[in-house]
């Protein structure tokens, strides 16, 4: 499948739908260890993204960068600059040829942007715990094509998300809770898994 | 002027913070301030784009400081730097400062035209004042939120100081250090490098004291905060000044310093209202309130105690420093914080004071340094004062007026009494020769002991007392009062006569010249004794004179002190008693293992057998002093002839190196020495009878033990017999008495009758004893 503007728009639309669907779930997760705004913030940001006129963009890269800027200005919480950076970097690295390896490189650029912004590493109980293994799994499976690689990435992402449950948060608002943050699934890892699910469904 | 951007999740918060900071500087002098906060007026959140726009809005070649609140504010601000591009981003600093305090500091500093780095440094130090105020251990510097501790942003100043104070940094110099560095906007952490103790904040006297800084130890200081440089300079100045102890290089004990020549003798009649006092505060009836109530009560109680301490510290006199040091202990912010948090946890104020002070006292009591151990007494005393305040029990000992009724008079209480207010003391138990009683008498307060019935006297009952007869009058009748008046007049006449004639020699009616000398424990004693006409000193208590030293004084150092004392006594003969440690008189530089029965243990000469170098050094000092002033030496705690031959041999060695003559004597303190005094007669020049120990060992009764004190009180026939035997064996030679019996004029004739030729007495009583020699013997 070509990784063109329409594909990028399908992905963001599916992500927006999944966020809307899981908005309360994300709010509940965040209420346990954060400030209960993750679902609402992301939903607000993605609804703004959905207002963008896709046809006005010259390339999928430009579109995705605009998605990033929109999230930066509308999400409000920490996920604004984090998701914003992800989409900005993703858009900048979006493969013109639409090959599987190029998409892997773009995803990794997005991951690196998040890590640079949030200074989080695997084990800090953040979205990085889900996204990092997902990007690794994608690269490992990229030889089989975009579809299987995204499926593998989504599965790894879900596993990484589940693995955040026993962790003690070391970044973000949840880190104020210290040991009490253990036993709860990280909302950021949960929402980024929705992003990979959406990618597997729409780009595969 | 630099620009400032305030980034917050809340627009209302950012606006309010800007308003608050704006109050500090008139509008025309303010730097450009832009807000990037909230997604709109009500939605919480941060927006990197809005921050970027705000930065561009206040940007100038001078640069921009960005202050943020938490979480995404920081992420969004970092992202904004990417959005504005590298040229502008190059002159923008994201400050880790707390937003309210930091903004105030930033606005004020920027308005002075300061550069970006200075503004950011001041903003980052914005928490310093709060941390300093609430105490370094308040959690402000240690909580999880302090990852970017603002104080670490400033370079710390460091210095090392060698402690030169003779006794180390004990309470007084430590208090001077704390007081000298107080009120500065700086965090000063002190460490004892030599002992690897600390760091402790310099605001805490208790903390500084626990460093256990001794002479030669290195004190290292680490100072941060806006006033760091001032603090460093002050610390160095304090150190150069010996922490206020520069003049105190002559460590002669100045105890009992308030004994002036006109002081009361402690023999005067007293009449006044009775006041009961217990050193134990009964807190069982205390009714705790809510934590808020308890905190208020605690604050008020501490305030009351402090006010009193400050008042006492301002009074002239030797004890003012003690009160000042106690006040500083109580003002310790750490201590207050601990107490307050205990109350917040639901403990009652009484509970928390008893518990925390006991813990602190235990900590101090466990230290090696006797000076610091004494601070445990201060802590216990403070705890009593506060709990007394909390329970409404009057505890104002120093202001107690009238007659004190107390179960037993301990030395601490005796020194706390104000001789100008407290007319007299009645003890319910306890003997007349306990240390507390002797201290009170020495301070001119008459004492009557062992009055069990006094326990039940209601407060404010009028009582009269005569310390000489040991009599107590309860609710005296007119006739009683007339008798008391007569006695009082007699005592005053006696005192006047004694003082008028005190400089004349004491000669009995039969023409025998009796030397009336003074027992000397300090230079002040020597001066008091001279003013009261002492014929020299029959006992110089070297172990008390040098008790404060933490190293053994050299022969030269000791000789210098002996000469000072001799000068104080107008060059009259002094009698140096060699080190008499053990029992209840430990010496820092003379380590002794704990003994099961110290009074029967390694006391006096016995300890010298184990430490001949120490003994030899002291004998050399005596020999040195003998070249300049008349001096004798005597050995304490003799029970066997062999001890004397050994000591005599030691003295011979000491005199061999120095030309000088020194008469040699022994103390008669054991029944063995008294009974066999004749055995010693060929070996020594004189004897001096130490009646306190002789009574104790003869009667097998501890004079400090109220239960058996009656056996040790006065002198029983067995003791008189022993004195007679010893004096008889030395007939024709000097026979002295330096125990407490010598200080009782009523007994003077009897002692002289037994052949005693010298009486060495408490310094203020010299005149009275001389009078007794003239009129009664």
């Amino acid at each position: 499948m070509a990784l063109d503007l329409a594909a990028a728009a399908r992905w963001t639309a599916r992500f927006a739908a999944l966020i809307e669907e899981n908005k309360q779930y994300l709010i509940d997760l965040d209420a346990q260890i954060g400030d209960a705004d993750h679902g609402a913030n992301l939903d607000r940001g993605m609804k703004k993204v959905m207002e963008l006129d896709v046809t006005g963009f010259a390339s999928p890269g430009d579109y995705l960068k605009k998605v990033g800027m929109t999230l930066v200005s509308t999400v409000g919480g920490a996920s604004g600059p984090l998701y914003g950076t992800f989409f900005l970097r993703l858009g900048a690295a979006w493969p013109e040829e639409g090959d599987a390896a190029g998409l892997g490189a773009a995803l990794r650029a997005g991951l690196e942007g998040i890590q640079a912004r949030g200074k989080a590493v695997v084990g800090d109980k953040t979205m990085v715990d889900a996204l990092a293994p997902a990007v690794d799994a994608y690269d490992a499976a990229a030889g089989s094509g975009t579809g299987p690689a995204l499926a593998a990435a989504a599965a790894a992402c879900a596993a990484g998300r589940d693995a955040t449950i026993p962790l003690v948060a070391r970044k973000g608002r949840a880190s104020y809770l210290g040991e009490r943050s253990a036993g709860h699934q990280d909302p950021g890892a949960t929402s980024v898994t929705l992003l990979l699910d959406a990618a597997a469904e729409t780009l595969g | 002027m630099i620009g400032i951007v305030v980034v917050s999740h809340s627009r209302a918060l950012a606006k309010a913070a800007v308003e608050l900071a704006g109050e500090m500087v008139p509008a025309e002098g303010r730097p450009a301030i832009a807000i990037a906060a909230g997604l709109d007026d009500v939605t919480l959140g941060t927006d990197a784009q809005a921050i970027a726009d705000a930065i561009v809005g206040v940007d100038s070649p001078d640069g921009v400081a960005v202050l943020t609140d938490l979480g995404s504010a920081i992420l969004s601000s970092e992202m904004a730097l990417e959005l504005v591009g590298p040229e502008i981003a190059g002159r923008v600093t994201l400050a880790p400062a707390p937003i309210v305090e930091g903004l105030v500091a930033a606005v004020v500093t920027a308005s002075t035209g300061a550069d970006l780095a200075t503004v950011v440094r001041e903003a980052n130090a914005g928490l310093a004042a709060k941390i300093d105020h609430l105490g370094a251990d308040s959690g402000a510097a240690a909580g999880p939120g302090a990852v970017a501790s603002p104080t670490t942003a400033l370079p710390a100043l460091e210095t090392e100081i060698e402690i030169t104070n003779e006794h180390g940094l004990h309470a007084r110099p430590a208090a001077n250090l704390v007081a000298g560095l107080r009120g500065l906007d700086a965090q000063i952490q002190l460490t004892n490098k030599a002992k690897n103790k600390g760091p402790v904040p310099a605001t805490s006297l208790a903390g500084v004291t626990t460093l256990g800084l001794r002479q030669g130890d290195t004190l290292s200081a680490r100072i941060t905060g806006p006033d760091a440089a001032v603090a460093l300079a002050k610390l160095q100045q304090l150190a150069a000044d010996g922490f206020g102890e520069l003049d105190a290089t002559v460590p002669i004990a100045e105890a009992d310093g308030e004994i002036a020549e006109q002081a009361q003798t402690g023999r005067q009649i007293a009449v006044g209202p009775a006041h009961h006092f217990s050193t134990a505060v009964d807190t069982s009836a205390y009714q705790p309130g809510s934590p808020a109530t308890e905190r208020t009560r605690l604050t008020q109680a501490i305030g009351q105690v402090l006010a009193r301490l400050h008042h006492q510290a301002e009074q002239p006199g030797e004890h003012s420093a003690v009160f000042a040091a106690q006040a500083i202990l109580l003002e310790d912010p750490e201590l207050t914080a601990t107490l307050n948090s205990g109350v917040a946890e639901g403990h009652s104020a009484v509970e928390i004071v008893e518990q925390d002070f006991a813990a602190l006292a235990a900590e101090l009591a466990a230290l090696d340094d006797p000076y610091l151990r004494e601070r445990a007494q201060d802590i216990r005393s403070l705890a009593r004062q506060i709990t007394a305040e909390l329970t409404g029990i009057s505890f104002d000992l120093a202001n107690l007026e009238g007659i004190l009724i107390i179960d037993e008079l301990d030395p601490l209480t005796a020194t706390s009494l104000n001789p100008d207010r407290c007319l007299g003391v009645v003890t319910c138990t306890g003997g007349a020769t306990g240390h507390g009683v002797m201290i009170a008498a020495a301070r001119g307060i008459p004492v009557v002991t062992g009055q069990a019935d006094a326990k039940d006297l209601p407060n404010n009952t009028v009582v009269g007392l005569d310390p000489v007869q040991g009599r107590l009058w309860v609710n005296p009748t007119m006739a009683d009062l007339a008798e008391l008046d007569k006695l009082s007049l007699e005592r005053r006449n006696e005192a006047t006569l004694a003082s008028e004639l005190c400089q004349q020699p004491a000669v009995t009616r039969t023409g025998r010249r009796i030397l009336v000398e003074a027992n000397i424990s300090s230079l002040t004693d020597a001066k008091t004794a001279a003013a009261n006409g002492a014929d020299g000193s029959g006992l110089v208590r070297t172990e008390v004179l040098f008790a404060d030293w933490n190293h053994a004084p050299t022969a030269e150092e000791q000789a210098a002190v002996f000469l000072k004392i001799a000068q104080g006594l107008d060059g009259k003969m002094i009698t140096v008693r060699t080190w008499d440690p053990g029992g209840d008189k430990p010496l820092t530089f003379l380590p002794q293992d704990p003994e099961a029965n110290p009074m029967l243990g390694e006391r006096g000469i016995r300890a010298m057998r184990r430490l001949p170098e120490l003994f030899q050094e002291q004998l050399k000092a005596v020999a040195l002093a003998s070249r300049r002033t008349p001096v004798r030496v005597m050995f304490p705690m003799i029970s066997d002839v062999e001890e004397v031959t050994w000591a005599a041999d030691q003295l011979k060695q000491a005199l061999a190196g120095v030309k000088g003559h020194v008469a040699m004597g022994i103390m008669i303190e054991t029944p063995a020495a008294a009974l066999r005094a004749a055995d010693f007669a060929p070996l020594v020049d004189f004897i001096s009878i130490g009646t306190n120990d002789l009574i104790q060992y003869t009667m097998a009764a501890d004079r400090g033990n109220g239960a058996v004190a009656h056996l040790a009180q006065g002198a029983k026939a067995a003791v008189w017999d022993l004195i007679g035997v010893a004096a008889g064996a030395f007939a024709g030679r000097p026979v002295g008495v330096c125990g407490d019996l010598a200080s009782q004029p009523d007994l003077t004739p009897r002692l002289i009758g037994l052949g005693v030729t010298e009486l060495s007495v408490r310094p203020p009583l010299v005149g009275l004893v001389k009078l007794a020699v003239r009129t009664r013997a």
Side-chain angles (χ1 to χ4, degrees):
Chain A
M1 193 181 288
L3 295 173
D4 55 11
L5 185 57
R10 278 200 308 278
W11 182 19
T12 53
R14 180 63 189 143
F15 180 50
L18 283 175
I19 290 296
E20 186 175 26
E21 214 172 285
N22 290 283
K23 178 176 157 183
Q24 194 55 47
Y25 175 53
L26 291 171
I27 287 173
D28 292 345
L29 285 178
D30 198 22
Q32 288 161 359
I33 57 171
D35 48 2
D37 65 356
H38 190 58
N41 285 351
L42 265 187
D43 188 47
R44 179 175 57 235
M46 286 312 292
K47 285 210 159 61
K48 283 283 176 194
V49 168
M50 286 303 97
E51 288 172 16
L52 295 174
D53 177 8
V54 182
T55 57
F57 293 95
S59 70
D62 285 353
Y63 169 67
L64 290 169
K65 284 193 267 183
K66 184 63 187 174
V67 169
M69 281 315 297
T70 305
L71 291 175
V72 161
S73 290
T74 56
V75 169
S79 46
L82 292 170
Y83 272 106
T85 303
F86 176 82
F87 279 105
L88 281 168
R89 301 283 173 94
L90 182 81
W94 196 258
E96 284 182 20
E97 301 300 322
D99 59 308
L103 179 57
L107 288 171
R108 187 163 293 282
L111 168 66
E112 285 168 358
I114 285 177
Q115 289 185 301
R117 178 69 59 233
K119 301 190 172 76
V121 296
V122 172
D124 284 348
K125 198 179 180 100
T126 68
M127 59 201 296
V128 172
D129 286 322
L131 189 57
V135 174
D136 289 344
Y138 181 96
D139 284 348
S144 318
T146 312
L150 282 171
C157 204
R161 170 200 64 198
D162 295 343
T164 62
I165 295 174
L167 295 177
V168 173
R170 290 200 292 258
K171 287 283 174 188
R173 206 70 72 86
S175 65
Y176 292 116
L177 295 175
E179 295 290 336
R180 280 173 292 152
S181 63
H184 301 284
Q185 183 176 309
D186 181 62
T190 307
S191 63
V192 84
T193 304
L194 296 177
L195 180 68
L196 268 287
D197 284 345
E201 284 177 39
T202 55
L203 303 177
Chain B
M1 197 179 294
I2 70 144
I4 296 173
V5 172
V6 181
V7 179
S8 168
H9 281 65
S10 158
R11 194 164 293 172
L13 173 65
K15 281 181 172 171
V18 169
E19 188 188 346
L20 185 66
E23 283 187 343
M24 311 289 291
V25 179
E28 61 273 19
R30 263 176 235 161
I33 306 173
I35 287 174
L39 297 184
D40 53 48
D41 276 345
V42 292
T43 312
L44 301 182
T46 58
D47 174 352
Q49 187 60 58
I51 299 167
D53 294 345
I55 290 172
V56 172
V58 298
D59 178 45
S60 77
D62 292 336
V64 178
V66 179
L67 284 94
T68 71
D69 62 9
L70 64 173
S72 68
I74 303 159
L75 297 185
S76 295
S77 299
E78 287 180 326
M79 190 159 189
L81 293 190
E82 289 178 17
L83 299 176
V84 297
E87 194 200 326
I88 295 179
R91 53 178 181 258
V92 177
T93 301
L94 305 183
I99 191 156
V100 174
E101 295 85 347
L103 183 62
V104 171
V107 169
V108 171
T109 313
S111 68
T112 66
D115 63 16
L116 181 62
T118 306
V119 171
V120 169
R121 194 171 66 229
E122 288 302 310
N124 291 348
L127 268 188
K130 206 151 70 179
I131 291 173
D132 188 46
H133 180 87
L134 299 175
D137 293 339
S138 61
V147 274
S149 169
T151 53
T152 57
L154 292 169
L157 298 177
E158 298 190 9
T159 188
E160 289 190 353
I161 291 160
E162 195 192 324
I163 299 300
T164 54
N165 300 53
E166 169 73 34
H167 310 306
L169 232 53
H170 62 87
R172 207 176 320 155
N176 288 337
L177 182 151
V178 172
L181 296 175
R182 183 163 283 174
L184 293 173
D185 192 358
Q187 291 76 55
I188 308 161
Q189 295 288 327
L190 303 176
T191 310
N192 181 348
K193 279 193 82 175
K195 301 214 175 82
N196 204 15
K197 282 186 188 165
V200 299
T203 46
S204 164
L205 180 58
V208 174
T209 313
T210 55
L211 289 178
L213 283 156
R214 299 280 287 269
Q215 189 176 32
D217 285 356
T218 302
L219 168 69
S220 102
R222 191 171 188 282
I223 311 173
T224 55
D227 288 347
V230 181
L232 179 67
K234 274 209 135 176
L235 180 61
Q236 285 165 340
Q237 186 192 336
L238 282 163
D241 199 29
F243 299 96
E245 280 203 323
L246 208 57
D247 322 329
T249 45
V250 180
I252 300 175
E254 297 275 351
D256 303 339
E258 68 266 44
I259 298 172
E261 47 263 57
Q262 277 89 29
Q264 292 280 18
T265 56
R267 289 167 53 86
Q268 72 274 23
I269 301 293
V271 181
H275 290 291
H276 284 274
F277 173 76
S278 168
T279 46
V281 179
D282 180 10
T283 56
S284 58
Y286 185 74
Q287 294 286 335
S290 68
T293 311
E294 288 305 283
R295 182 167 176 157
T296 309
R297 286 179 185 173
L298 181 61
T299 309
Q300 282 173 352
I302 290 177
Q304 290 288 336
V305 173
L306 269 178
R308 208 157 51 221
L309 290 173
H310 283 307
H311 175 73
Q312 283 162 5
E314 284 160 17
Q315 307 303 310
E318 192 115 333
H319 294 295
S320 62
V322 173
F323 295 121
Q326 284 197 349
I328 288 174
L329 275 170
L330 198 51
E331 281 165 347
D332 186 338
E334 262 192 273
L335 181 65
T336 321
T338 315
L339 293 173
N340 284 339
S341 69
V343 167
E345 283 165 17
H347 296 281
S348 82
V350 160
E351 235 168 52
I352 204 68
V353 166
E354 287 180 336
Q355 181 185 312
D356 284 5
F357 279 69
L360 188 55
E363 203 177 305
L364 287 168
L367 293 173
D368 300 337
D369 192 317
Y371 264 92
L372 302 181
R373 282 203 299 269
E374 279 175 23
R375 302 283 71 73
Q377 277 187 352
D378 285 334
I379 293 288
R380 283 193 290 269
S381 159
L382 284 172
R384 287 202 296 268
Q385 294 178 54
I386 299 168
T387 47
E389 201 64 55
L390 283 167
T391 48
I393 295 166
S394 159
F395 191 89
D396 200 354
L397 209 49
N399 286 325
L400 184 137
E401 300 198 358
I403 311 272
L404 170 68
I405 313 275
I406 193 166
D407 197 40
E408 211 168 0
L409 187 61
D410 61 294
L412 187 67
T413 307
T415 46
S416 309
L417 294 170
N418 181 345
D420 295 333
R421 294 170 185 264
C422 178
L423 301 173
V425 177
V426 177
T427 74
C428 304
T429 59
T433 51
H435 282 123
V437 176
M438 300 219 283
I439 289 171
R443 301 181 72 227
I445 301 171
V447 184
V448 170
T449 59
Q451 304 289 318
D453 297 345
K455 212 172 215 142
D456 304 321
L457 288 179
N459 273 338
N460 291 314
T461 308
V462 174
V463 296
L465 62 87
D466 176 2
V468 176
Q469 301 179 65
R471 259 185 85 184
L472 185 71
W473 289 261
V474 176
N475 285 319
T477 61
M478 289 307 285
D480 291 335
L481 287 172
E483 187 188 349
L484 283 163
D485 256 0
K486 190 169 149 271
L487 277 171
S488 187
L489 184 68
E490 271 176 25
R491 262 342 120 61
R492 279 206 303 276
N493 285 342
E494 177 194 77
T496 310
L497 199 57
S499 122
E500 276 175 8
L501 295 175
C502 73
Q503 300 297 342
Q504 308 298 319
V507 180
T508 67
R509 283 175 294 189
T510 57
R512 281 173 65 196
R513 167 80 196 269
I514 302 294
L515 291 179
V516 181
E517 305 152 322
N519 296 339
I520 301 295
S521 302
S522 68
L523 199 53
T524 311
D525 277 353
K527 289 174 183 158
T528 307
N532 284 284
D535 301 318
S537 170
L539 169 63
V540 175
R541 297 187 178 102
T542 56
E543 69 284 344
V544 183
L545 269 180
F546 297 98
D548 295 347
W549 288 51
N550 50 32
H551 72 262
T554 63
E556 289 75 18
E557 287 171 326
Q558 292 183 56
V561 172
F562 296 155
L563 285 174
K564 274 200 169 157
I565 285 170
Q567 280 164 18
L569 285 164
D570 303 328
K572 291 172 181 152
M573 170 79 80
I574 61 169
T575 311
V576 171
R577 176 173 72 187
T578 55
W579 301 123
D580 189 17
D584 54 352
K585 297 180 293 190
L587 275 177
T588 329
F589 51 85
L590 203 159
Q592 279 184 298
D593 291 332
E595 296 175 313
N597 205 340
M599 284 297 174
L600 300 181
E602 200 184 39
R603 298 187 59 190
I605 194 79
R606 303 170 181 186
M608 296 301 103
R609 302 301 292 270
R610 182 164 59 84
L611 299 156
E613 299 83 10
L614 198 67
F615 191 54
Q616 188 57 224
E617 195 72 10
Q618 185 163 53
L619 294 176
K620 274 186 191 152
V622 172
L624 283 173
S626 72
R627 294 161 62 185
R628 309 265 299 274
T629 194
V631 57
R632 304 185 296 192
V633 67
M634 65 181 180
F635 311 121
M637 202 60 194
I638 295 294
S639 51
D640 191 55
V641 167
E642 189 273 335
E643 291 168 330
V644 181
T645 52
W646 175 80
D649 191 50
Q650 291 285 319
L651 181 62
K652 211 170 145 188
Q653 283 179 38
L655 287 169
V658 192
K659 275 197 171 171
H661 173 73
V662 175
M664 182 176 78
I666 57 169
M667 287 196 70
I668 303 289
E669 296 170 284
T670 64
L675 280 169
R676 304 296 301 181
D679 295 350
F680 300 99
L683 302 172
V684 299
D685 303 311
F686 69 97
I687 56 171
S688 178
I689 303 168
T691 53
N692 299 344
D693 275 325
L694 186 62
I695 292 170
Q696 160 166 287
Y697 291 128
T698 304
M699 303 306 292
D702 177 358
R703 60 179 155 140
N705 181 343
V708 298
H710 60 283
L711 291 170
Q713 227 165 70
K716 305 289 185 190
V719 177
W720 286 113
D721 286 355
L722 288 172
I723 294 172
V725 171
F730 276 78
R733 284 194 279 173
V735 174
V737 174
C738 62
D740 214 56
L741 289 190
S743 295
Q744 299 177 39
D746 300 335
L747 302 180
T748 305
R750 191 160 179 188
L751 288 171
I752 292 171
L754 287 173
V756 170
T757 62
E758 299 179 20
L759 296 164
S760 194
V761 306
R762 297 208 295 268
L765 296 182
V766 170
L768 275 174
V769 174
K770 278 191 165 182
L771 187 69
V773 170
R774 291 185 198 106
T775 58
R776 303 191 200 186

